[in-house]
Amino acid sequence: MEKVIRSTPREMDRILRPAEAARVLGVSRTTFWRIAKAADFPKKICIGARAVGWSRDDLLAWMEARKR
């Protein structure tokens, strides 16, 4: 069964914190951090002194590329 991810204009190009990014990918936070170390994974974006995030669009594109 394939998930359909629909984007509203407000959700497009959002910055997702690690917990939310893990939910989008459908993995645990521990697995997310393991995957984030991969060379082909989207680069993190520094959003504060101790806060990082990832572009939602980049994560979805990465997921699509892995399906092929």
Side-chain angles (χ1 to χ4, degrees):
M1 186 167 144
E2 185 176 324
K3 283 187 188 178
V4 176
I5 301 173
R6 297 172 194 240
S7 298
T8 63
R10 186 170 180 219
E11 290 179 334
M12 295 175 75
D13 205 24
R14 271 186 58 207
I15 303 298
L16 305 179
R17 296 294 309 266
E20 192 174 9
R23 278 194 301 271
V24 167
L25 296 179
V27 298
S28 70
R29 289 184 307 192
T30 302
T31 301
F32 172 79
W33 284 109
R34 191 175 305 125
I35 293 170
K37 293 179 184 178
D40 66 333
F41 195 75
K43 299 297 179 197
K44 62 185 172 188
I45 300 166
C46 292
I47 55 177
R50 294 177 46 111
V52 295
W54 284 262
S55 164
R56 181 178 186 275
D57 292 344
D58 289 349
L59 290 175
L60 295 176
W62 179 80
M63 284 175 39
E64 278 299 314
R66 291 189 47 95
K67 287 182 183 179
R68 297 178 194 160

